[in-house]
PDB file of all heavy atoms in Angstrom:
ATOM      1  N   ALA A 211      39.142   2.233 140.314  1.00 93.00           N
ATOM      2  CA  ALA A 211      40.579   1.996 140.460  1.00 93.00           C
ATOM      3  C   ALA A 211      40.857   1.035 141.608  1.00 93.00           C
ATOM      4  O   ALA A 211      40.184   1.053 142.641  1.00 93.00           O
ATOM      5  CB  ALA A 211      41.299   3.316 140.693  1.00 93.00           C
ATOM      6  N   THR A 212      41.843   0.169 141.387  1.00 92.00           N
ATOM      7  CA  THR A 212      42.299  -0.740 142.456  1.00 92.00           C
ATOM      8  C   THR A 212      43.815  -0.738 142.473  1.00 92.00           C
ATOM      9  O   THR A 212      44.456  -0.524 141.448  1.00 92.00           O
ATOM     10  CB  THR A 212      41.804  -2.182 142.234  1.00 92.00           C
ATOM     11  OG1 THR A 212      42.322  -2.678 140.997  1.00 92.00           O
ATOM     12  CG2 THR A 212      40.299  -2.270 142.236  1.00 92.00           C
ATOM     13  N   TYR A 213      44.354  -0.935 143.643  1.00 88.00           N
ATOM     14  CA  TYR A 213      45.796  -1.099 143.757  1.00 88.00           C
ATOM     15  C   TYR A 213      46.025  -2.385 144.540  1.00 88.00           C
ATOM     16  O   TYR A 213      45.726  -2.460 145.725  1.00 88.00           O
ATOM     17  CB  TYR A 213      46.456   0.095 144.471  1.00 88.00           C
ATOM     18  CG  TYR A 213      47.946   0.069 144.330  1.00 88.00           C
ATOM     19  CD1 TYR A 213      48.573   0.777 143.292  1.00 88.00           C
ATOM     20  CD2 TYR A 213      48.735  -0.673 145.193  1.00 88.00           C
ATOM     21  CE1 TYR A 213      49.954   0.733 143.140  1.00 88.00           C
ATOM     22  CE2 TYR A 213      50.114  -0.721 145.041  1.00 88.00           C
ATOM     23  CZ  TYR A 213      50.717  -0.020 144.005  1.00 88.00           C
ATOM     24  OH  TYR A 213      52.081  -0.059 143.845  1.00 88.00           O
ATOM     25  N   ASP A 214      46.496  -3.398 143.844  1.00 89.00           N
ATOM     26  CA  ASP A 214      46.601  -4.731 144.440  1.00 89.00           C
ATOM     27  C   ASP A 214      48.025  -5.020 144.868  1.00 89.00           C
ATOM     28  O   ASP A 214      48.993  -4.632 144.199  1.00 89.00           O
ATOM     29  CB  ASP A 214      46.140  -5.783 143.428  1.00 89.00           C
ATOM     30  CG  ASP A 214      44.713  -5.539 142.978  1.00 89.00           C
ATOM     31  OD1 ASP A 214      43.852  -5.384 143.842  1.00 89.00           O
ATOM     32  OD2 ASP A 214      44.484  -5.505 141.754  1.00 89.00           O
ATOM     33  N   ALA A 215      48.137  -5.751 145.942  1.00 88.00           N
ATOM     34  CA  ALA A 215      49.451  -6.039 146.521  1.00 88.00           C
ATOM     35  C   ALA A 215      50.249  -6.995 145.641  1.00 88.00           C
ATOM     36  O   ALA A 215      49.691  -7.825 144.916  1.00 88.00           O
ATOM     37  CB  ALA A 215      49.268  -6.659 147.911  1.00 88.00           C
ATOM     38  N   MET A 216      51.545  -6.892 145.711  1.00 87.00           N
ATOM     39  CA  MET A 216      52.419  -7.843 145.041  1.00 87.00           C
ATOM     40  C   MET A 216      52.332  -9.185 145.773  1.00 87.00           C
ATOM     41  O   MET A 216      52.409  -9.242 147.004  1.00 87.00           O
ATOM     42  CB  MET A 216      53.861  -7.330 145.049  1.00 87.00           C
ATOM     43  CG  MET A 216      54.812  -8.215 144.268  1.00 87.00           C
ATOM     44  SD  MET A 216      56.464  -7.463 144.188  1.00 87.00           S
ATOM     45  CE  MET A 216      57.330  -8.678 143.217  1.00 87.00           C
ATOM     46  N   LEU A 217      52.150 -10.277 145.012  1.00 88.00           N
ATOM     47  CA  LEU A 217      51.883 -11.587 145.620  1.00 88.00           C
ATOM     48  C   LEU A 217      53.181 -12.310 145.986  1.00 88.00           C
ATOM     49  O   LEU A 217      53.422 -13.454 145.563  1.00 88.00           O
ATOM     50  CB  LEU A 217      51.048 -12.435 144.654  1.00 88.00           C
ATOM     51  CG  LEU A 217      49.646 -11.902 144.373  1.00 88.00           C
ATOM     52  CD1 LEU A 217      49.016 -12.641 143.212  1.00 88.00           C
ATOM     53  CD2 LEU A 217      48.786 -12.011 145.620  1.00 88.00           C
ATOM     54  N   ASN A 218      54.002 -11.643 146.757  1.00 84.00           N
ATOM     55  CA  ASN A 218      55.282 -12.235 147.128  1.00 84.00           C
ATOM     56  C   ASN A 218      55.348 -12.630 148.596  1.00 84.00           C
ATOM     57  O   ASN A 218      56.407 -12.964 149.105  1.00 84.00           O
ATOM     58  CB  ASN A 218      56.421 -11.277 146.800  1.00 84.00           C
ATOM     59  CG  ASN A 218      56.292  -9.947 147.526  1.00 84.00           C
ATOM     60  OD1 ASN A 218      55.253  -9.648 148.118  1.00 84.00           O
ATOM     61  ND2 ASN A 218      57.337  -9.141 147.470  1.00 84.00           N
ATOM     62  N   LYS A 219      54.198 -12.590 149.268  1.00 88.00           N
ATOM     63  CA  LYS A 219      54.166 -12.956 150.679  1.00 88.00           C
ATOM     64  C   LYS A 219      53.330 -14.216 150.866  1.00 88.00           C
ATOM     65  O   LYS A 219      52.297 -14.397 150.211  1.00 88.00           O
ATOM     66  CB  LYS A 219      53.588 -11.807 151.508  1.00 88.00           C
ATOM     67  CG  LYS A 219      54.438 -10.543 151.471  1.00 88.00           C
ATOM     68  CD  LYS A 219      53.826  -9.447 152.328  1.00 88.00           C
ATOM     69  CE  LYS A 219      54.692  -8.193 152.301  1.00 88.00           C
ATOM     70  NZ  LYS A 219      54.105  -7.096 153.110  1.00 88.00           N
ATOM     71  N   ALA A 220      53.763 -15.068 151.765  1.00 89.00           N
ATOM     72  CA  ALA A 220      53.133 -16.377 151.938  1.00 89.00           C
ATOM     73  C   ALA A 220      51.657 -16.264 152.290  1.00 89.00           C
ATOM     74  O   ALA A 220      50.833 -17.056 151.819  1.00 89.00           O
ATOM     75  CB  ALA A 220      53.879 -17.162 153.022  1.00 89.00           C
ATOM     76  N   GLU A 221      51.304 -15.251 153.087  1.00 91.00           N
ATOM     77  CA  GLU A 221      49.898 -15.139 153.507  1.00 91.00           C
ATOM     78  C   GLU A 221      48.979 -14.791 152.339  1.00 91.00           C
ATOM     79  O   GLU A 221      47.793 -15.126 152.346  1.00 91.00           O
ATOM     80  CB  GLU A 221      49.744 -14.111 154.624  1.00 91.00           C
ATOM     81  CG  GLU A 221      50.164 -12.699 154.274  1.00 91.00           C
ATOM     82  CD  GLU A 221      51.618 -12.408 154.607  1.00 91.00           C
ATOM     83  OE1 GLU A 221      52.412 -13.387 154.712  1.00 91.00           O
ATOM     84  OE2 GLU A 221      51.963 -11.227 154.780  1.00 91.00           O
ATOM     85  N   LEU A 222      49.521 -14.137 151.322  1.00 92.00           N
ATOM     86  CA  LEU A 222      48.709 -13.796 150.154  1.00 92.00           C
ATOM     87  C   LEU A 222      48.560 -14.973 149.190  1.00 92.00           C
ATOM     88  O   LEU A 222      47.674 -14.984 148.337  1.00 92.00           O
ATOM     89  CB  LEU A 222      49.319 -12.606 149.410  1.00 92.00           C
ATOM     90  CG  LEU A 222      49.354 -11.282 150.184  1.00 92.00           C
ATOM     91  CD1 LEU A 222      50.080 -10.219 149.371  1.00 92.00           C
ATOM     92  CD2 LEU A 222      47.938 -10.822 150.515  1.00 92.00           C
ATOM     93  N   GLN A 223      49.426 -15.959 149.300  1.00 93.00           N
ATOM     94  CA  GLN A 223      49.407 -17.115 148.413  1.00 93.00           C
ATOM     95  C   GLN A 223      48.532 -18.254 148.947  1.00 93.00           C
ATOM     96  O   GLN A 223      48.268 -19.227 148.244  1.00 93.00           O
ATOM     97  CB  GLN A 223      50.839 -17.635 148.212  1.00 93.00           C
ATOM     98  CG  GLN A 223      51.769 -16.602 147.593  1.00 93.00           C
ATOM     99  CD  GLN A 223      53.232 -16.948 147.775  1.00 93.00           C
ATOM    100  OE1 GLN A 223      53.585 -18.056 148.172  1.00 93.00           O
ATOM    101  NE2 GLN A 223      54.110 -15.986 147.491  1.00 93.00           N
ATOM    102  N   LYS A 224      48.068 -18.103 150.182  1.00 95.00           N
ATOM    103  CA  LYS A 224      47.323 -19.177 150.829  1.00 95.00           C
ATOM    104  C   LYS A 224      45.864 -19.184 150.384  1.00 95.00           C
ATOM    105  O   LYS A 224      45.214 -18.150 150.280  1.00 95.00           O
ATOM    106  CB  LYS A 224      47.405 -19.006 152.348  1.00 95.00           C
ATOM    107  CG  LYS A 224      46.896 -20.205 153.128  1.00 95.00           C
ATOM    108  CD  LYS A 224      47.185 -20.037 154.620  1.00 95.00           C
ATOM    109  CE  LYS A 224      46.707 -21.252 155.388  1.00 95.00           C
ATOM    110  NZ  LYS A 224      46.994 -21.119 156.846  1.00 95.00           N
ATOM    111  N   ILE A 225      45.334 -20.380 150.129  1.00 96.00           N
ATOM    112  CA  ILE A 225      43.959 -20.529 149.664  1.00 96.00           C
ATOM    113  C   ILE A 225      42.989 -20.257 150.807  1.00 96.00           C
ATOM    114  O   ILE A 225      43.159 -20.749 151.927  1.00 96.00           O
ATOM    115  CB  ILE A 225      43.724 -21.955 149.118  1.00 96.00           C
ATOM    116  CG1 ILE A 225      44.594 -22.204 147.886  1.00 96.00           C
ATOM    117  CG2 ILE A 225      42.253 -22.175 148.763  1.00 96.00           C
ATOM    118  CD1 ILE A 225      44.556 -23.635 147.391  1.00 96.00           C
ATOM    119  N   ASP A 226      41.961 -19.478 150.527  1.00 96.00           N
ATOM    120  CA  ASP A 226      40.885 -19.198 151.480  1.00 96.00           C
ATOM    121  C   ASP A 226      39.734 -20.156 151.181  1.00 96.00           C
ATOM    122  O   ASP A 226      39.024 -20.016 150.182  1.00 96.00           O
ATOM    123  CB  ASP A 226      40.432 -17.736 151.320  1.00 96.00           C
ATOM    124  CG  ASP A 226      39.281 -17.375 152.267  1.00 96.00           C
ATOM    125  OD1 ASP A 226      38.835 -18.264 153.032  1.00 96.00           O
ATOM    126  OD2 ASP A 226      38.829 -16.221 152.220  1.00 96.00           O
ATOM    127  N   TRP A 227      39.562 -21.150 152.042  1.00 96.00           N
ATOM    128  CA  TRP A 227      38.585 -22.209 151.785  1.00 96.00           C
ATOM    129  C   TRP A 227      37.138 -21.780 152.043  1.00 96.00           C
ATOM    130  O   TRP A 227      36.219 -22.579 151.835  1.00 96.00           O
ATOM    131  CB  TRP A 227      38.920 -23.446 152.613  1.00 96.00           C
ATOM    132  CG  TRP A 227      40.239 -24.041 152.216  1.00 96.00           C
ATOM    133  CD1 TRP A 227      41.401 -23.988 152.919  1.00 96.00           C
ATOM    134  CD2 TRP A 227      40.531 -24.754 151.007  1.00 96.00           C
ATOM    135  NE1 TRP A 227      42.410 -24.628 152.243  1.00 96.00           N
ATOM    136  CE2 TRP A 227      41.903 -25.115 151.058  1.00 96.00           C
ATOM    137  CE3 TRP A 227      39.783 -25.112 149.896  1.00 96.00           C
ATOM    138  CZ2 TRP A 227      42.528 -25.823 150.041  1.00 96.00           C
ATOM    139  CZ3 TRP A 227      40.401 -25.823 148.879  1.00 96.00           C
ATOM    140  CH2 TRP A 227      41.755 -26.175 148.950  1.00 96.00           C
ATOM    141  N   THR A 228      36.937 -20.520 152.459  1.00 96.00           N
ATOM    142  CA  THR A 228      35.552 -20.041 152.585  1.00 96.00           C
ATOM    143  C   THR A 228      34.997 -19.590 151.233  1.00 96.00           C
ATOM    144  O   THR A 228      33.811 -19.265 151.125  1.00 96.00           O
ATOM    145  CB  THR A 228      35.472 -18.866 153.579  1.00 96.00           C
ATOM    146  OG1 THR A 228      36.180 -17.744 153.037  1.00 96.00           O
ATOM    147  CG2 THR A 228      36.064 -19.246 154.930  1.00 96.00           C
ATOM    148  N   LYS A 229      35.839 -19.574 150.217  1.00 96.00           N
ATOM    149  CA  LYS A 229      35.407 -19.128 148.901  1.00 96.00           C
ATOM    150  C   LYS A 229      34.592 -20.210 148.187  1.00 96.00           C
ATOM    151  O   LYS A 229      34.693 -21.397 148.495  1.00 96.00           O
ATOM    152  CB  LYS A 229      36.633 -18.773 148.042  1.00 96.00           C
ATOM    153  CG  LYS A 229      37.514 -17.673 148.626  1.00 96.00           C
ATOM    154  CD  LYS A 229      36.798 -16.333 148.665  1.00 96.00           C
ATOM    155  CE  LYS A 229      37.739 -15.219 149.116  1.00 96.00           C
ATOM    156  NZ  LYS A 229      37.050 -13.917 149.198  1.00 96.00           N
ATOM    157  N   THR A 230      33.798 -19.764 147.221  1.00 97.00           N
ATOM    158  CA  THR A 230      33.028 -20.712 146.401  1.00 97.00           C
ATOM    159  C   THR A 230      33.953 -21.475 145.471  1.00 97.00           C
ATOM    160  O   THR A 230      35.141 -21.131 145.311  1.00 97.00           O
ATOM    161  CB  THR A 230      31.988 -19.964 145.560  1.00 97.00           C
ATOM    162  OG1 THR A 230      32.681 -19.139 144.595  1.00 97.00           O
ATOM    163  CG2 THR A 230      31.089 -19.095 146.430  1.00 97.00           C
ATOM    164  N   GLY A 231      33.403 -22.495 144.821  1.00 95.00           N
ATOM    165  CA  GLY A 231      34.199 -23.274 143.887  1.00 95.00           C
ATOM    166  C   GLY A 231      34.771 -22.426 142.769  1.00 95.00           C
ATOM    167  O   GLY A 231      35.954 -22.551 142.411  1.00 95.00           O
ATOM    168  N   LYS A 232      33.950 -21.543 142.191  1.00 96.00           N
ATOM    169  CA  LYS A 232      34.435 -20.671 141.121  1.00 96.00           C
ATOM    170  C   LYS A 232      35.535 -19.750 141.620  1.00 96.00           C
ATOM    171  O   LYS A 232      36.544 -19.509 140.931  1.00 96.00           O
ATOM    172  CB  LYS A 232      33.260 -19.844 140.580  1.00 96.00           C
ATOM    173  CG  LYS A 232      33.628 -18.758 139.564  1.00 96.00           C
ATOM    174  CD  LYS A 232      34.207 -19.352 138.291  1.00 96.00           C
ATOM    175  CE  LYS A 232      34.262 -18.316 137.150  1.00 96.00           C
ATOM    176  NZ  LYS A 232      35.070 -17.155 137.463  1.00 96.00           N
ATOM    177  N   GLN A 233      35.395 -19.242 142.840  1.00 97.00           N
ATOM    178  CA  GLN A 233      36.414 -18.353 143.401  1.00 97.00           C
ATOM    179  C   GLN A 233      37.718 -19.107 143.683  1.00 97.00           C
ATOM    180  O   GLN A 233      38.805 -18.557 143.497  1.00 97.00           O
ATOM    181  CB  GLN A 233      35.884 -17.683 144.667  1.00 97.00           C
ATOM    182  CG  GLN A 233      34.788 -16.655 144.394  1.00 97.00           C
ATOM    183  CD  GLN A 233      34.116 -16.168 145.669  1.00 97.00           C
ATOM    184  OE1 GLN A 233      34.032 -16.894 146.658  1.00 97.00           O
ATOM    185  NE2 GLN A 233      33.611 -14.922 145.635  1.00 97.00           N
ATOM    186  N   LEU A 234      37.591 -20.340 144.131  1.00 97.00           N
ATOM    187  CA  LEU A 234      38.795 -21.169 144.332  1.00 97.00           C
ATOM    188  C   LEU A 234      39.525 -21.360 143.011  1.00 97.00           C
ATOM    189  O   LEU A 234      40.751 -21.241 142.923  1.00 97.00           O
ATOM    190  CB  LEU A 234      38.427 -22.534 144.915  1.00 97.00           C
ATOM    191  CG  LEU A 234      37.956 -22.594 146.364  1.00 97.00           C
ATOM    192  CD1 LEU A 234      37.676 -24.042 146.751  1.00 97.00           C
ATOM    193  CD2 LEU A 234      38.990 -22.005 147.307  1.00 97.00           C
ATOM    194  N   HIS A 235      38.761 -21.692 141.981  1.00 96.00           N
ATOM    195  CA  HIS A 235      39.345 -21.885 140.655  1.00 96.00           C
ATOM    196  C   HIS A 235      40.046 -20.615 140.186  1.00 96.00           C
ATOM    197  O   HIS A 235      41.189 -20.667 139.695  1.00 96.00           O
ATOM    198  CB  HIS A 235      38.238 -22.285 139.669  1.00 96.00           C
ATOM    199  CG  HIS A 235      38.630 -22.214 138.241  1.00 96.00           C
ATOM    200  ND1 HIS A 235      39.685 -22.933 137.714  1.00 96.00           N
ATOM    201  CD2 HIS A 235      38.108 -21.483 137.204  1.00 96.00           C
ATOM    202  CE1 HIS A 235      39.800 -22.669 136.421  1.00 96.00           C
ATOM    203  NE2 HIS A 235      38.861 -21.793 136.087  1.00 96.00           N
TER     204      HIS A 235
END
Side-chain angles (χ1 to χ4, degrees):
T212 61
Y213 192 94
D214 302 309
M216 185 175 181
L217 295 169
N218 59 349
K219 296 181 179 179
E221 61 268 22
L222 296 176
Q223 300 163 12
K224 191 172 181 179
I225 296 173
D226 179 359
W227 296 107
T228 66
K229 301 294 186 182
T230 66
K232 173 64 166 60
Q233 290 171 331
L234 289 181
H235 167 59

